[in-house]
Amino acid sequence: MTGRFSGKVAIITGSSFGIGRATALLFAKEGAKVTVTGRSEERLQGSKQALLDAGISDSNFLIVPADITTSSGQDALISKTLEKFGQINILVNNAGASIADSQNRAGLDQGIDTYEKVLKLNVQSVIEMTQKIRPHLAKTRGEIVNVSSVAALKFAHVRNPYYPLAKAALDQYTRSAAIDLISQGIRVNTVNPGVVATGFHESCTGLSTEESQKFYDKVGANKSAIPCGFSGRPEHIAKAIAFLADRDSSEYIIGQNIIADGGTSLVLGFHAQLPQK
Ligand code: NDP
């Protein structure tokens, strides 16, 4: 396939499902060679099938089962990508989740063990991947796109404090990394999604796929929550990630956030209580 990512090699973390899978598909359709990763073999098979169904040759993608919070998983991702494709141009730090408290403690009573797990996945793994990939992206004047959340914005999240905290830390890390890495020609930016219908809600609530879909349909129909009138699809976020990963499109954008949320962040709080037309 040819396109704006022809000749580029991209590692997309958390690409066994949801936003990451859609991003891997979009990048591959636009010419990139992609490394697809996640922990679940079954989900990875789903991504492999989606790539094959889209006409992507298996010489243009690599599947690496790995836990992104482990040093060995991070190292395997980078070394296996280099082994198969010889270079790395783009890293999308997309793997993330809001992890439920191990003992069902609520709000500020949630344990430090939960805090540590949430921070390890959503922030620490990004820091470690950035440190490890830096020399490789310096060689190619590459791009990093982090996937944060509107949860990082300045609103209180009483029921679930650690995930928003982690994503706010990720946004701040993006700014510091962007200024440091641009000295080597590497650009770093972030996409902050709002509600997107993926496996996210299912994994953090333990609800079934059907129940989660009902949640996405219901919240999407509520214009005081999502003014555009529907929950986002993974492809919406993939397109924003692709824009930031494509130097031709976004060369002058350094260390910034694109909020892709159907308008949610404009109506949170006070405005949501006002009568709607
Ligand atoms: P999904 O649950 O659909 O996908 C999450 C992906 O992350 C899966 O591929 C999963 O793979 C991977 N993952 C989770 N933990 C690990 C781990 N320890 N090691 C390796 N991979 C891991 O969620 P989304 O696609 O929605 O989430 C993508 C990103 O978008 C996340 O950073 C999330 O915080 C963010 N986001 C999502 C929103 C939404 O409404 N959906 C809103 C705002 C932000 P596997 O299960 O195979 O390990």
Side-chain angles (χ1 to χ4, degrees):
M1 301 246 175
T2 55
R4 62 178 151 163
F5 295 122
S6 286
K8 308 283 186 194
V9 176
I11 296 177
I12 299 148
T13 71
S15 42
S16 60
F17 209 68
I19 292 167
R21 181 188 285 177
T23 304
L25 260 177
L26 179 64
F27 278 38
K29 283 182 191 166
E30 299 210 26
K33 294 181 163 65
V34 292
T35 296
V36 170
T37 182
R39 293 162 302 174
S40 158
E41 295 278 0
E42 192 187 340
R43 285 178 147 194
L44 286 168
Q45 279 307 312
S47 293
K48 178 178 178 178
Q49 199 54 53
L51 285 159
L52 292 172
D53 290 349
I56 310 298
S57 151
D58 62 7
S59 60
N60 285 345
F61 67 86
L62 171 68
I63 307 278
V64 182
D67 183 337
I68 197 67
T69 64
T70 64
S71 194
S72 57
Q74 296 159 5
D75 293 342
L77 261 183
I78 294 172
S79 64
K80 289 184 179 177
T81 301
L82 288 170
E83 203 177 296
K84 176 151 178 169
F85 299 129
Q87 65 189 51
I88 303 169
N89 303 84
I90 299 166
L91 169 65
V92 180
N93 285 309
N94 164 76
S98 178
I99 299 169
D101 185 80
S102 55
Q103 295 172 39
N104 272 336
R105 289 163 292 199
L108 298 191
D109 291 327
Q110 287 188 19
I112 289 299
D113 58 327
T114 305
Y115 163 85
E116 284 173 347
K117 279 187 224 154
V118 172
L119 269 283
K120 192 160 199 204
L121 173 60
N122 292 284
V123 187
Q124 189 176 321
S125 72
V126 175
I127 295 171
E128 289 167 337
M129 280 300 289
T130 304
Q131 289 174 341
K132 288 178 181 184
I133 213 150
R134 177 181 192 147
H136 306 291
L137 290 184
K139 283 186 200 152
T140 58
R141 289 172 56 79
E143 333 285 332
I144 297 178
V145 182
N146 295 327
V147 179
S148 178
S149 170
V150 290
L153 304 179
K154 281 194 190 172
F155 296 94
H157 295 270
V158 180
R159 275 191 291 178
N160 186 21
Y162 303 142
Y163 174 74
L165 179 160
K167 293 299 195 182
L170 176 61
D171 283 1
Q172 186 57 20
Y173 180 70
T174 296
R175 292 185 266 274
S176 304
I179 292 303
D180 188 336
L181 297 187
I182 196 62
S183 63
Q184 291 175 281
I186 304 166
R187 288 187 319 127
V188 189
N189 286 291
T190 297
V191 176
N192 297 61
V195 176
V196 184
T198 63
F200 182 89
H201 193 249
E202 208 177 313
S203 79
C204 69
T205 60
L207 290 175
S208 67
T209 308
E210 293 70 31
E211 286 167 327
S212 287
Q213 190 54 52
K214 276 189 199 153
F215 161 80
Y216 287 123
D217 291 343
K218 191 173 171 197
V219 75
N222 178 358
K223 290 191 178 173
S224 68
I226 306 180
C228 74
F230 55 90
S231 286
R233 295 187 299 280
E235 298 74 27
H236 290 125
I237 308 305
K239 285 177 191 167
I241 293 170
F243 169 73
L244 290 175
D246 172 27
R247 194 159 291 218
D248 276 352
S249 301
S250 57
E251 183 168 14
Y252 209 48
I253 302 178
I254 309 289
Q256 298 301 314
N257 300 63
I258 291 183
I259 295 175
D261 69 349
T264 293
S265 54
L266 300 180
V267 297
L268 283 172
F270 171 70
H271 295 83
Q273 306 307 319
L274 295 174
Q276 303 295 311
K277 278 189 189 167

